[in-house]
Amino acid sequence: MEKPLVSVCLPIYNGEKYLEEALHSIKEQTYSNIEVVISDDNSKDNSRNIVERFKTSVNFPVFIYQHEPQGIGANWNNSVKKANGEFIKFLFQDDLLEPACIEEMVHLALQDKAIGLVFCKRKFIHDQTNPQHIEWLERSGSLHQTWKSADFEKNRIMTGRKLLNDENLLQSPVNKIGEPTAVLIRKECFEKVGYFDTRLKQILDYEYWFRIFKKYHIAFVDKELVTFRLHDQQATAVNQRKAVDESEQIRRIVYKNYFWQIHPYYRKNFFLRYNFFGKVLKKVTRMLKRLK
């Protein structure tokens, strides 16, 4: 059986510092039926030259598209829209793929057509003397273990709705799947649930994972197949310095779109917090308590 085409989507912007390493990790893949789709947000550094050299050194298609900067989500979306593959494998310019990454993920994805997303464990490159990096790793290093009822070490494939109903869904870390580099997505997902929400800055990846949860199964590869690099110029660190906080937005999104799928704990909490009748009930309950 012919292996499905996988589009490695690489959105870039001024990525010359680590880009060559990222591209080399694509070149080392054991899975052969790939194309590389690069969406460049008008880089001002040497990124384009690095990509052009890479293109001449490989025997698989490499497509390079210039993109007018409109935020990171728009660049992610542009790379997906230009992709031809049955599966999308994101790779960010400062991250790396292990040689067997795509092969392992595709093998699992093909076990069930209901699987919309495959995720894996991550390795990390970071400053071991940086207390913020150490704290982040303690909180977010092993994401598959942060679910309460969903045990991915026992069941590698489960319904996304089980994850939406997990009691830990919105407990820190809220992103319990990982960064886009850590996932493989069936391309039809973008036709069924849309693209990344470009209005969001910090939560746009796991807001998208939640949409996939509602319609697809989720699969987990219990191997470290990608390397995620922690550094001060990545989007998460920049957003933290700018005090970007979208925690209230994700709660409202979950209330609006997943109310009947989430755990009863959240349903009660959000009903009292966001629903008109819930707010009235909460106010009346407080008044009655004061009269006692």
Side-chain angles (χ1 to χ4, degrees):
M1 187 175 78
E2 186 177 350
K3 295 180 178 180
L5 177 65
V6 175
S7 298
V8 181
C9 290
L10 181 53
I12 66 173
Y13 173 68
N14 290 348
E16 65 178 2
K17 187 172 183 179
Y18 305 117
L19 183 56
E20 204 157 5
E21 289 181 72
L23 291 169
H24 183 72
S25 76
I26 300 173
K27 192 175 181 178
E28 295 295 302
Q29 289 303 297
T30 58
Y31 190 91
S32 58
N33 194 17
I34 65 173
E35 65 172 13
V36 177
V37 180
I38 295 172
S39 180
D40 180 15
D41 250 1
N42 199 18
S43 294
K44 306 300 183 187
D45 63 359
N46 198 41
S47 294
R48 184 62 181 253
N49 291 333
I50 293 171
V51 171
E52 292 290 355
R53 287 200 303 270
F54 172 74
K55 184 176 181 178
T56 63
S57 72
V58 296
N59 58 5
F60 46 77
V62 178
F63 303 102
I64 310 165
Y65 300 98
Q66 287 297 115
H67 181 255
E68 190 64 29
Q70 297 171 320
I72 60 173
N75 203 22
W76 299 3
N77 288 339
N78 187 56
S79 67
V80 175
K81 290 173 183 178
K82 301 295 187 182
N84 302 297
E86 184 177 337
F87 293 96
I88 301 296
K89 179 67 199 82
F90 277 108
L91 172 63
F92 286 177
Q93 63 191 25
D94 38 12
D95 299 332
L96 304 168
L97 305 178
E98 289 296 303
C101 177
I102 295 176
E103 185 170 12
E104 295 263 9
M105 286 185 147
V106 170
H107 176 75
L108 184 52
L110 293 177
Q111 304 304 304
D112 187 340
K113 288 185 177 180
I115 294 172
L117 181 149
V118 179
F119 73 109
C120 66
K121 290 180 177 178
R122 303 108 80 221
K123 295 180 182 179
F124 301 94
I125 298 174
H126 67 101
D127 179 357
Q128 298 184 7
T129 65
N130 187 322
Q132 291 180 324
H133 289 186
I134 295 170
E135 180 185 353
W136 187 90
L137 286 170
E138 288 176 351
R139 182 179 68 252
S140 302
S142 297
L143 293 174
H144 70 286
Q145 296 177 342
T146 60
W147 299 98
K148 185 165 186 177
S149 60
D151 189 346
F152 277 106
E153 292 181 350
K154 289 183 179 178
N155 301 301
R156 300 295 166 81
I157 301 172
M158 63 183 65
T159 65
R161 292 202 172 207
K162 180 175 178 63
L163 303 183
L164 284 174
N165 192 248
D166 194 279
E167 194 173 350
N168 282 356
L169 179 71
L170 295 176
Q171 302 301 315
S172 182
V174 182
N175 187 353
K176 295 176 174 60
I177 295 296
E179 307 74 25
T181 290
V183 307
L184 176 87
I185 304 172
R186 196 178 292 272
K187 181 146 188 227
E188 74 170 50
C189 290
F190 294 92
E191 300 165 9
K192 295 285 181 64
V193 307
Y195 289 81
F196 292 99
D197 188 337
T198 57
R199 297 168 296 180
L200 302 174
K201 293 184 172 71
Q202 184 69 28
I203 65 172
L204 71 169
D205 49 0
Y206 56 88
E207 184 276 331
Y208 194 74
W209 308 158
F210 288 1
R211 279 190 263 157
I212 295 177
F213 290 172
K214 194 171 182 178
K215 293 186 177 292
Y216 290 91
H217 292 184
I218 307 301
F220 172 64
V221 182
D222 193 12
K223 295 180 181 179
E224 296 174 335
L225 296 178
V226 301
T227 298
F228 180 65
R229 192 187 304 266
L230 295 173
H231 61 89
D232 292 339
Q233 297 307 311
Q234 63 193 155
T236 301
V238 172
N239 287 334
Q240 287 177 345
R241 289 197 294 273
K242 292 180 179 178
V244 174
D245 184 359
E246 294 176 334
S247 54
E248 178 66 12
Q249 283 175 269
I250 193 63
R251 287 192 287 267
R252 287 184 176 275
I253 288 169
V254 170
Y255 165 69
K256 180 181 178 181
N257 299 313
Y258 310 103
F259 184 80
W260 295 110
Q261 286 81 44
I262 56 178
H263 191 275
Y265 165 79
Y266 293 115
R267 285 209 297 271
K268 177 182 177 182
N269 183 283
F270 291 167
F271 175 75
L272 296 174
R273 184 168 186 166
Y274 300 123
N275 186 278
F276 172 77
F277 296 105
K279 291 177 182 178
V280 171
L281 177 61
K282 189 175 181 180
K283 187 177 289 188
V284 169
T285 303
R286 284 177 177 172
M287 291 173 61
L288 291 174
K289 284 183 178 179
R290 288 185 190 138
L291 292 175
K292 285 184 179 180

